[in-house]
Coordinates of all heavy atoms in Angstrom, one line a residue:
M11 N 0.8 -1.2 0.0 CA 0.0 0.0 0.0 C 0.9 1.3 0.0 O 1.8 1.3 0.8 CB -0.9 -0.1 1.3 CG -2.1 0.8 1.2 SD -3.1 0.7 2.7 CE -4.5 -0.3 2.1
T12 N 0.6 2.2 -0.9 CA 1.4 3.4 -0.9 C 1.0 4.4 0.2 O 0.0 4.2 0.8 CB 1.2 4.1 -2.3 OG1 -0.2 4.6 -2.3 CG2 1.5 3.2 -3.5
N13 N 1.9 5.3 0.4 CA 1.6 6.3 1.5 C 0.3 7.1 1.1 O -0.4 7.4 2.0 CB 2.8 7.4 1.5 CG 4.0 6.8 2.3 OD1 3.9 5.8 3.0 ND2 5.1 7.4 2.1
E14 N 0.1 7.3 -0.1 CA -1.1 8.1 -0.5 C -2.4 7.3 -0.2 O -3.4 7.8 0.3 CB -1.1 8.4 -2.0 CG -2.3 9.2 -2.5 CD -2.1 9.6 -3.9 OE1 -1.1 10.1 -4.3 OE2 -3.1 9.4 -4.7
S15 N -2.3 6.0 -0.5 CA -3.5 5.1 -0.2 C -3.7 4.9 1.3 O -4.8 4.9 1.8 CB -3.5 3.8 -1.0 OG -2.3 3.0 -0.6
V16 N -2.6 4.8 2.1 CA -2.8 4.8 3.5 C -3.4 6.0 4.1 O -4.3 6.0 4.8 CB -1.4 4.6 4.2 CG1 -1.5 4.7 5.7 CG2 -0.8 3.2 3.8
A17 N -3.0 7.2 3.6 CA -3.5 8.5 4.0 C -5.0 8.6 3.6 O -5.8 9.2 4.4 CB -2.8 9.7 3.3
S18 N -5.4 8.0 2.6 CA -6.8 8.1 2.2 C -7.7 7.3 3.0 O -8.9 7.5 3.1 CB -7.0 7.8 0.7 OG -6.8 6.3 0.5
V19 N -7.3 6.3 3.7 CA -8.1 5.4 4.6 C -7.8 5.7 6.1 O -8.5 5.1 6.9 CB -7.9 4.0 4.3 CG1 -8.4 3.6 2.9 CG2 -6.5 3.5 4.5
A20 N -7.0 6.6 6.4 CA -6.6 7.0 7.8 C -7.9 7.6 8.5 O -8.5 8.5 7.8 CB -5.4 7.9 7.9
P21 N -8.2 7.2 9.6 CA -9.4 7.8 10.3 C -9.1 9.3 10.6 O -8.0 9.7 10.9 CB -9.5 7.0 11.6 CG -8.2 6.4 11.8 CD -7.5 6.3 10.5
L22 N -10.2 10.1 10.5 CA -10.1 11.5 10.8 C -9.9 11.7 12.4 O -10.6 11.0 13.1 CB -11.3 12.3 10.4 CG -11.4 12.3 8.9 CD1 -12.8 12.9 8.5 CD2 -10.4 13.1 8.2
K23 N -9.2 12.6 12.8 CA -9.1 13.0 14.2 C -10.3 13.9 14.6 O -10.8 14.6 13.7 CB -7.8 13.7 14.5 CG -6.6 12.9 14.3 CD -5.3 13.6 14.6 CE -4.1 12.7 14.3 NZ -2.9 13.5 14.4
R24 N -10.7 13.8 15.8 CA -11.8 14.7 16.2 C -11.4 16.2 16.0 O -12.3 17.0 15.6 CB -12.1 14.5 17.7 CG -13.2 15.3 18.2 CD -13.5 15.0 19.7 NE -13.9 13.6 19.9 CZ -15.1 13.2 19.8 NH1 -16.1 14.0 19.5 NH2 -15.5 11.9 19.9
S25 N -10.2 16.6 16.1 CA -9.8 18.0 15.9 C -9.8 18.4 14.4 O -9.6 19.6 14.2 CB -8.4 18.2 16.5 OG -7.5 17.4 15.9
A26 N -10.1 17.5 13.5 CA -10.1 17.9 12.1 C -11.3 18.8 11.8 O -11.2 19.7 10.9 CB -10.2 16.6 11.2
F27 N -12.4 18.8 12.6 CA -13.5 19.6 12.4 C -13.5 20.8 13.4 O -13.1 20.6 14.5 CB -14.8 18.8 12.5 CG -14.9 17.7 11.6 CD1 -14.8 16.4 11.9 CD2 -15.1 18.0 10.2 CE1 -14.9 15.4 11.1 CE2 -15.3 17.0 9.3 CZ -15.1 15.6 9.8
L28 N -13.8 22.0 12.9 CA -13.7 23.2 13.7 C -14.9 23.2 14.7 O -14.7 23.8 15.8 CB -13.8 24.4 12.8 CG -12.6 24.6 11.8 CD1 -12.9 25.8 10.9 CD2 -11.3 24.6 12.5
M29 N -16.0 22.7 14.4 CA -17.2 22.7 15.3 C -17.2 21.6 16.3 O -16.7 20.5 16.0 CB -18.5 22.7 14.5 CG -18.7 21.5 13.6 SD -17.7 21.6 12.2 CE -18.4 20.5 11.1
P30 N -17.6 21.9 17.6 CA -17.7 20.9 18.6 C -18.8 19.9 18.2 O -19.9 20.3 17.7 CB -18.1 21.6 19.8 CG -18.4 23.0 19.5 CD -18.0 23.3 18.1
L31 N -18.5 18.6 18.2 CA -19.4 17.5 17.8 C -19.4 16.4 18.8 O -18.4 16.0 19.4 CB -19.0 16.9 16.5 CG -19.0 17.9 15.3 CD1 -18.2 17.2 14.0 CD2 -20.2 18.4 14.9
D32 N -20.6 15.9 19.1 CA -20.6 14.7 19.9 C -20.3 13.5 19.1 O -20.0 13.6 17.9 CB -22.1 14.5 20.6 CG -23.1 14.1 19.7 OD1 -22.9 14.0 18.4 OD2 -24.3 13.9 20.1
D33 N -20.2 12.3 19.7 CA -19.7 11.1 18.9 C -20.5 10.8 17.7 O -20.1 10.5 16.7 CB -19.6 9.9 19.9 CG -18.4 10.0 20.9 OD1 -17.5 10.8 20.6 OD2 -18.5 9.3 21.9
G34 N -21.9 10.9 17.9 CA -22.7 10.6 16.8 C -22.7 11.6 15.6 O -22.6 11.2 14.5
M35 N -22.5 12.9 15.9 CA -22.4 13.9 14.8 C -20.9 13.8 14.2 O -20.8 14.1 13.0 CB -22.7 15.2 15.4 CG -24.2 15.5 15.6 SD -25.3 15.0 14.3 CE -24.9 16.2 13.0
L36 N -20.0 13.5 15.0 CA -18.6 13.3 14.5 C -18.6 12.2 13.4 O -18.1 12.3 12.4 CB -17.7 12.9 15.6 CG -16.2 12.6 15.2 CD1 -15.6 13.8 14.6 CD2 -15.4 12.1 16.4
E37 N -19.3 11.1 13.7 CA -19.5 10.0 12.8 C -20.2 10.4 11.5 O -19.8 10.1 10.4 CB -20.1 8.7 13.4 CG -20.2 7.6 12.5 CD -18.9 7.1 11.9 OE1 -17.9 7.2 12.6 OE2 -18.9 6.6 10.8
Y38 N -21.3 11.2 11.7 CA -22.1 11.7 10.6 C -21.2 12.6 9.7 O -21.2 12.4 8.5 CB -23.3 12.5 11.1 CG -24.3 12.9 10.1 CD1 -25.2 12.0 9.7 CD2 -24.3 14.2 9.6 CE1 -26.2 12.3 8.8 CE2 -25.3 14.5 8.7 CZ -26.1 13.6 8.3 OH -27.1 13.9 7.3
F39 N -20.4 13.5 10.2 CA -19.6 14.4 9.4 C -18.4 13.6 8.8 O -18.1 13.9 7.7 CB -19.0 15.6 10.2 CG -20.0 16.7 10.3 CD1 -20.9 16.8 11.4 CD2 -20.1 17.6 9.2 CE1 -21.8 17.9 11.4 CE2 -21.0 18.6 9.3 CZ -21.9 18.7 10.4
R40 N -17.9 12.5 9.4 CA -17.0 11.7 8.8 C -17.5 11.0 7.6 O -16.9 10.8 6.6 CB -16.4 10.6 9.8 CG -15.5 11.2 10.8 CD -15.0 10.2 11.8 NE -14.0 10.7 12.6 CZ -13.6 10.1 13.7 NH1 -14.2 9.0 14.2 NH2 -12.7 10.6 14.5
E41 N -18.8 10.7 7.7 CA -19.5 10.1 6.5 C -19.6 11.1 5.4 O -19.5 10.6 4.2 CB -20.8 9.5 6.9 CG -20.8 8.3 7.8 CD -22.1 7.8 8.4 OE1 -23.1 8.1 7.7 OE2 -22.1 7.0 9.4
I42 N -19.9 12.3 5.7 CA -19.9 13.3 4.6 C -18.6 13.4 4.0 O -18.5 13.5 2.7 CB -20.4 14.7 5.2 CG1 -21.9 14.6 5.8 CG2 -20.2 15.8 4.2 CD1 -22.3 15.9 6.5
V43 N -17.5 13.5 4.7 CA -16.2 13.5 4.2 C -15.9 12.3 3.2 O -15.4 12.4 2.1 CB -15.1 13.7 5.2 CG1 -13.7 13.4 4.7 CG2 -15.2 15.0 5.9
D44 N -16.3 11.1 3.7 CA -16.1 9.9 2.9 C -16.8 10.0 1.7 O -16.3 9.6 0.6 CB -16.6 8.6 3.7 CG -15.7 8.3 4.9 OD1 -14.5 8.8 5.0 OD2 -16.2 7.5 5.8
E45 N -18.0 10.5 1.6 CA -18.8 10.7 0.4 C -18.2 11.6 -0.5 O -18.1 11.4 -1.7 CB -20.3 11.1 0.7 CG -21.1 10.1 1.3 CD -21.4 8.9 0.3 OE1 -21.6 9.2 -0.8 OE2 -21.5 7.8 0.9
A46 N -17.6 12.7 0.0 CA -16.9 13.7 -0.9 C -15.7 13.0 -1.6 O -15.5 13.2 -2.8 CB -16.5 14.9 -0.1
V47 N -14.9 12.3 -0.8 CA -13.8 11.6 -1.4 C -14.2 10.6 -2.4 O -13.6 10.6 -3.5 CB -13.0 10.8 -0.2 CG1 -11.9 9.9 -0.8 CG2 -12.4 11.9 0.7
T48 N -15.2 9.8 -2.2 CA -15.7 8.8 -3.1 C -16.4 9.4 -4.3 O -16.1 9.1 -5.5 CB -16.7 7.9 -2.4 OG1 -16.1 7.3 -1.3 CG2 -17.3 6.8 -3.3
R49 N -17.3 10.4 -4.1 CA -18.1 10.8 -5.3 C -17.4 11.9 -6.1 O -17.6 12.0 -7.3 CB -19.4 11.5 -4.7 CG -20.3 10.5 -4.2 CD -21.6 11.1 -3.7 NE -22.4 10.1 -3.0 CZ -23.3 9.4 -3.6 NH1 -23.6 9.6 -4.9 NH2 -24.1 8.5 -3.0
F50 N -16.5 12.7 -5.4 CA -15.8 13.7 -6.2 C -14.3 13.5 -6.4 O -13.6 14.3 -7.1 CB -16.1 15.1 -5.5 CG -17.5 15.4 -5.6 CD1 -18.3 15.4 -4.4 CD2 -18.2 15.8 -6.7 CE1 -19.6 15.7 -4.4 CE2 -19.5 16.2 -6.7 CZ -20.2 16.1 -5.5
G51 N -13.8 12.4 -5.8 CA -12.3 12.2 -5.9 C -11.4 13.2 -5.3 O -10.3 13.3 -5.8
V52 N -11.8 13.9 -4.4 CA -11.0 14.8 -3.7 C -10.3 14.2 -2.6 O -10.6 13.1 -2.1 CB -11.8 16.1 -3.2 CG1 -12.5 16.8 -4.3 CG2 -12.9 15.7 -2.1
S53 N -9.2 14.9 -2.1 CA -8.5 14.4 -0.9 C -9.3 14.5 0.3 O -10.3 15.4 0.4 CB -7.2 15.1 -0.7 OG -7.4 16.5 -0.3
R54 N -9.0 13.7 1.3 CA -9.7 13.9 2.7 C -9.5 15.3 3.2 O -10.4 15.9 3.8 CB -9.3 12.9 3.6 CG -9.6 11.4 3.2 CD -9.2 10.4 4.2 NE -10.1 10.3 5.4 CZ -11.3 9.9 5.5 NH1 -11.9 9.5 4.3 NH2 -12.0 9.8 6.6
A55 N -8.3 15.8 3.0 CA -8.0 17.2 3.5 C -8.9 18.2 2.9 O -9.4 19.1 3.5 CB -6.5 17.5 3.3
E56 N -9.1 18.1 1.6 CA -9.9 19.1 0.9 C -11.4 18.9 1.3 O -12.1 19.9 1.6 CB -9.9 18.9 -0.6 CG -10.9 19.9 -1.3 CD -10.9 19.9 -2.8 OE1 -9.9 19.3 -3.4 OE2 -11.9 20.3 -3.4
A57 N -11.8 17.7 1.5 CA -13.2 17.4 2.0 C -13.4 18.0 3.4 O -14.5 18.7 3.6 CB -13.5 15.9 1.9
V58 N -12.5 17.8 4.3 CA -12.6 18.3 5.6 C -12.6 19.9 5.6 O -13.3 20.5 6.3 CB -11.4 17.8 6.5 CG1 -11.5 18.6 7.8 CG2 -11.6 16.4 6.7
A59 N -11.8 20.4 4.8 CA -11.7 21.9 4.6 C -13.0 22.5 4.1 O -13.5 23.4 4.6 CB -10.5 22.3 3.7
R60 N -13.6 21.8 3.2 CA -14.9 22.3 2.7 C -16.0 22.1 3.7 O -16.9 23.0 3.9 CB -15.3 21.6 1.4 CG -14.5 22.0 0.2 CD -15.0 21.5 -1.1 NE -14.1 21.8 -2.2 CZ -14.7 22.6 -3.2 NH1 -15.9 23.0 -3.2 NH2 -13.8 22.9 -4.2
V61 N -16.0 21.0 4.5 CA -17.0 20.9 5.6 C -16.7 22.0 6.6 O -17.7 22.6 7.1 CB -16.8 19.5 6.3 CG1 -17.5 19.4 7.6 CG2 -17.3 18.4 5.4
N62 N -15.5 22.2 7.0 CA -15.2 23.3 8.0 C -15.6 24.7 7.4 O -16.2 25.5 8.2 CB -13.8 23.4 8.3 CG -13.4 22.2 9.3 OD1 -14.3 21.8 10.1 ND2 -12.2 21.8 9.3
E63 N -15.4 24.9 6.2 CA -15.8 26.2 5.5 C -17.4 26.4 5.6 O -17.9 27.4 5.9 CB -15.4 26.3 4.1 CG -15.8 27.5 3.4 CD -15.3 27.6 1.9 OE1 -15.2 26.5 1.3 OE2 -15.0 28.7 1.5
R64 N -18.1 25.3 5.3 CA -19.6 25.4 5.2 C -20.2 25.3 6.7 O -21.2 26.0 6.9 CB -20.1 24.2 4.4 CG -21.6 24.1 4.3 CD -22.2 25.3 3.5 NE -21.6 25.6 2.2 CZ -22.2 25.3 1.1 NH1 -23.4 24.8 1.0 NH2 -21.6 25.5 -0.1
Y65 N -19.7 24.5 7.5 CA -20.3 24.2 8.8 C -19.6 24.6 10.0 O -20.1 24.5 11.2 CB -20.7 22.8 8.9 CG -21.5 22.2 7.8 CD1 -20.9 21.3 6.8 CD2 -22.9 22.6 7.6 CE1 -21.7 20.9 5.8 CE2 -23.6 22.2 6.6 CZ -23.1 21.2 5.6 OH -23.8 20.8 4.6
G66 N -18.3 25.1 9.9 CA -17.4 25.3 11.0 C -17.9 26.3 12.0 O -17.6 26.2 13.2
E67 N -18.7 27.3 11.6 CA -19.1 28.3 12.6 C -20.6 28.1 13.1 O -21.1 28.8 13.8 CB -19.0 29.7 11.9 CG -17.6 30.1 11.6 CD -17.5 31.5 11.0 OE1 -18.5 32.3 11.1 OE2 -16.4 31.8 10.5
L68 N -21.2 27.0 12.6 CA -22.5 26.6 13.1 C -22.5 25.9 14.3 O -21.5 25.2 14.7 CB -23.2 25.8 12.0 CG -23.4 26.4 10.6 CD1 -24.1 25.4 9.8 CD2 -24.2 27.7 10.8
E69 N -23.6 26.0 15.1 CA -23.7 25.3 16.4 C -24.5 24.0 16.0 O -25.7 24.1 15.7 CB -24.5 26.1 17.4 CG -24.5 25.5 18.7 CD -25.1 26.5 19.8 OE1 -24.7 27.6 19.7 OE2 -25.9 26.0 20.5
I70 N -23.8 22.9 16.1 CA -24.4 21.6 15.7 C -24.9 20.9 17.0 O -24.2 20.8 17.9 CB -23.4 20.7 15.0 CG1 -22.7 21.4 13.8 CG2 -24.0 19.3 14.6 CD1 -23.6 21.7 12.6
S71 N -26.2 20.6 16.9 CA -26.7 19.9 18.1 C -26.2 18.4 18.2 O -25.8 17.9 17.3 CB -28.3 19.8 18.0 OG -28.8 21.1 17.9
P72 N -26.4 17.9 19.4 CA -26.0 16.5 19.5 C -26.8 15.6 18.6 O -27.9 15.9 18.1 CB -26.3 16.1 21.0 CG -26.4 17.4 21.7 CD -26.9 18.4 20.7
Y73 N -26.2 14.4 18.3 CA -26.9 13.4 17.4 C -28.2 13.0 18.0 O -28.3 12.7 19.2 CB -26.0 12.2 17.2 CG -26.5 11.3 16.3 CD1 -26.3 11.4 14.9 CD2 -27.3 10.2 16.6 CE1 -26.8 10.5 13.9 CE2 -27.8 9.3 15.7 CZ -27.6 9.5 14.4 OH -28.1 8.6 13.5
P74 N -29.2 13.0 17.2 CA -29.4 13.4 15.8 C -29.8 14.8 15.6 O -30.9 15.2 16.0 CB -30.5 12.4 15.3 CG -31.4 12.2 16.5 CD -30.6 12.3 17.7
D75 N -28.9 15.6 15.2 CA -29.1 17.0 14.8 C -30.2 17.0 13.7 O -30.4 16.0 13.0 CB -27.8 17.7 14.3 CG -28.0 19.1 13.9 OD1 -28.0 20.0 14.8 OD2 -28.2 19.4 12.7
L76 N -30.8 18.1 13.5 CA -31.9 18.2 12.5 C -31.4 17.9 11.1 O -32.1 17.2 10.3 CB -32.4 19.7 12.4 CG -33.5 19.9 11.4 CD1 -34.7 19.0 11.7 CD2 -33.9 21.4 11.5
M77 N -30.0 18.1 10.8 CA -29.5 17.8 9.5 C -29.5 16.3 9.3 O -29.4 15.8 8.1 CB -28.1 18.4 9.2 CG -27.0 17.8 10.0 SD -25.5 18.8 9.8 CE -25.1 18.7 8.1
C78 N -29.6 15.4 10.3 CA -29.6 14.0 10.1 C -30.9 13.4 9.5 O -31.0 12.3 9.2 CB -29.5 13.3 11.5 SG -27.8 13.6 12.2
H79 N -31.8 14.3 9.2 CA -33.0 13.9 8.5 C -32.7 13.6 7.0 O -33.5 12.9 6.3 CB -34.2 14.9 8.5 CG -34.0 16.1 7.6 ND1 -33.2 17.1 7.9 CD2 -34.6 16.4 6.5 CE1 -33.2 18.0 7.0 NE2 -34.1 17.6 6.1
E80 N -31.5 14.0 6.6 CA -31.0 13.7 5.3 C -29.8 12.8 5.4 O -29.0 13.0 6.4 CB -30.7 14.9 4.5 CG -31.8 15.8 4.1 CD -32.7 15.3 3.0 OE1 -32.4 14.2 2.5 OE2 -33.7 15.9 2.8
L81 N -29.5 12.0 4.4 CA -28.3 11.2 4.4 C -27.1 12.1 4.2 O -27.2 13.1 3.5 CB -28.3 10.1 3.4 CG -29.4 9.0 3.7 CD1 -29.6 8.1 2.5 CD2 -29.1 8.2 4.9
P82 N -25.9 11.7 4.6 CA -24.7 12.4 4.2 C -24.5 12.7 2.8 O -23.9 13.7 2.4 CB -23.5 11.6 4.8 CG -24.1 10.8 5.9 CD -25.6 10.5 5.4
E83 N -25.0 11.8 1.9 CA -24.9 12.0 0.5 C -25.6 13.3 0.0 O -25.1 13.9 -0.9 CB -25.5 10.8 -0.3 CG -24.8 9.5 -0.2 CD -25.2 8.7 1.0 OE1 -25.9 9.2 1.9 OE2 -25.0 7.5 1.1
Y84 N -26.6 13.6 0.7 CA -27.4 14.9 0.3 C -26.5 16.1 0.6 O -26.4 17.0 -0.2 CB -28.7 14.9 1.2 CG -29.4 16.2 1.0 CD1 -30.3 16.4 0.0 CD2 -29.3 17.2 2.0 CE1 -30.9 17.6 -0.2 CE2 -29.9 18.4 1.8 CZ -30.8 18.6 0.8 OH -31.4 19.8 0.6
W85 N -25.9 16.1 1.8 CA -25.1 17.3 2.2 C -23.8 17.4 1.4 O -23.4 18.5 1.3 CB -24.8 17.3 3.7 CG -26.1 17.2 4.5 CD1 -26.6 16.2 5.2 CD2 -27.1 18.3 4.7 NE1 -27.8 16.5 5.8 CE2 -28.1 17.8 5.4 CE3 -27.2 19.6 4.1 CZ2 -29.1 18.6 5.8 CZ3 -28.2 20.3 4.5 CH2 -29.3 19.9 5.3
V86 N -23.2 16.4 0.9 CA -22.0 16.5 0.2 C -22.1 17.3 -1.1 O -21.2 18.0 -1.4 CB -21.4 15.1 0.0 CG1 -22.0 14.3 -1.1 CG2 -19.8 15.2 -0.3
Y87 N -23.3 17.2 -1.7 CA -23.5 17.9 -3.0 C -23.5 19.4 -2.7 O -23.0 20.2 -3.5 CB -24.7 17.5 -3.7 CG -24.5 16.2 -4.4 CD1 -25.0 15.0 -3.8 CD2 -23.7 16.1 -5.6 CE1 -24.7 13.8 -4.4 CE2 -23.5 14.9 -6.1 CZ -24.0 13.7 -5.5 OH -23.8 12.5 -6.1
G88 N -23.9 19.8 -1.4 CA -23.9 21.3 -1.1 C -22.5 21.8 -0.9 O -22.3 23.0 -1.1
L89 N -21.6 21.0 -0.7 CA -20.2 21.4 -0.5 C -19.6 21.8 -1.8 O -18.6 22.5 -1.9 CB -19.3 20.3 0.1 CG -19.7 19.8 1.5 CD1 -18.8 18.7 1.9 CD2 -19.7 20.9 2.5
Y90 N -20.1 21.3 -3.0 CA -19.6 21.5 -4.3 C -20.5 22.2 -5.1 O -20.3 22.4 -6.4 CB -19.2 20.2 -4.8 CG -18.0 19.6 -4.1 CD1 -18.2 18.8 -3.0 CD2 -16.7 19.9 -4.4 CE1 -17.1 18.3 -2.3 CE2 -15.6 19.5 -3.8 CZ -15.9 18.7 -2.7 OH -14.8 18.2 -2.0
E91 N -21.7 22.7 -4.7 CA -22.7 23.4 -5.6 C -22.1 24.6 -6.2 O -22.5 25.0 -7.3 CB -24.0 23.7 -4.8 CG -23.8 24.7 -3.7 CD -25.0 24.9 -2.9 OE1 -26.0 24.2 -3.0 OE2 -25.1 25.9 -2.2
D92 N -21.2 25.4 -5.5 CA -20.7 26.6 -6.1 C -19.6 26.3 -7.3 O -19.3 27.1 -8.0 CB -20.0 27.4 -5.1 CG -21.0 27.9 -4.1 OD1 -22.2 28.0 -4.4 OD2 -20.5 28.2 -2.9
D93 N -19.2 25.0 -7.3 CA -18.1 24.6 -8.3 C -18.8 24.2 -9.6 O -18.1 24.0 -10.6 CB -17.3 23.4 -7.8 CG -16.4 23.9 -6.6 OD1 -16.3 25.1 -6.4 OD2 -15.8 23.0 -6.0
R94 N -20.1 23.9 -9.7 CA -20.7 23.5 -10.8 C -21.0 24.6 -11.8 O -21.2 25.6 -11.6 CB -22.1 22.8 -10.5 CG -21.7 21.5 -9.8 CD -23.0 20.7 -9.7 NE -23.3 20.6 -8.2 CZ -24.4 20.2 -7.7 NH1 -25.4 19.9 -8.6 NH2 -24.6 20.0 -6.6

């Protein structure tokens, strides 16, 4: 396995996200990042940066936050809507 492929499967640290998250929401945001990597072929670092840009200043409630009514796949497209 190359260093690049190891980095792509390395788990995200809690501190990767700017907003405070409980364990459930941390997992939910990790799933959003995973979707961005899979669907758009971006690096994990770019996906985390886009999540932080979009949601970093928001107050996220404990799991299940209201945003959990949609799957992570739904939110990942919002991270890239300005790029289309």
Side-chain angles (χ1 to χ4, degrees):
M11 199 179 255
T12 67
N13 286 341
E14 185 175 311
S15 61
V16 169
S18 68
V19 296
L22 295 172
K23 296 179 182 176
R24 182 174 297 271
S25 61
F27 298 108
L28 299 177
M29 57 286 198
L31 300 169
D32 71 357
D33 289 341
M35 290 309 295
L36 176 64
E37 181 60 30
Y38 189 80
F39 276 93
R40 285 178 173 166
E41 290 175 20
I42 293 172
V43 167
D44 290 343
E45 286 295 324
V47 170
T48 301
R49 292 180 186 267
F50 298 107
V52 299
S53 68
R54 293 183 76 71
E56 179 181 341
V58 170
R60 287 188 181 242
V61 166
N62 283 332
E63 179 181 35
R64 179 63 56 109
Y65 304 109
E67 294 183 16
L68 296 180
E69 190 172 315
I70 306 295
S71 297
Y73 185 85
D75 181 81
L76 181 60
M77 72 188 296
C78 294
H79 77 283
E80 294 286 356
L81 294 172
E83 293 89 343
Y84 173 84
W85 299 111
V86 76
Y87 285 101
L89 300 176
Y90 292 88
E91 67 185 13
D92 296 336
D93 292 349
R94 290 189 246 169

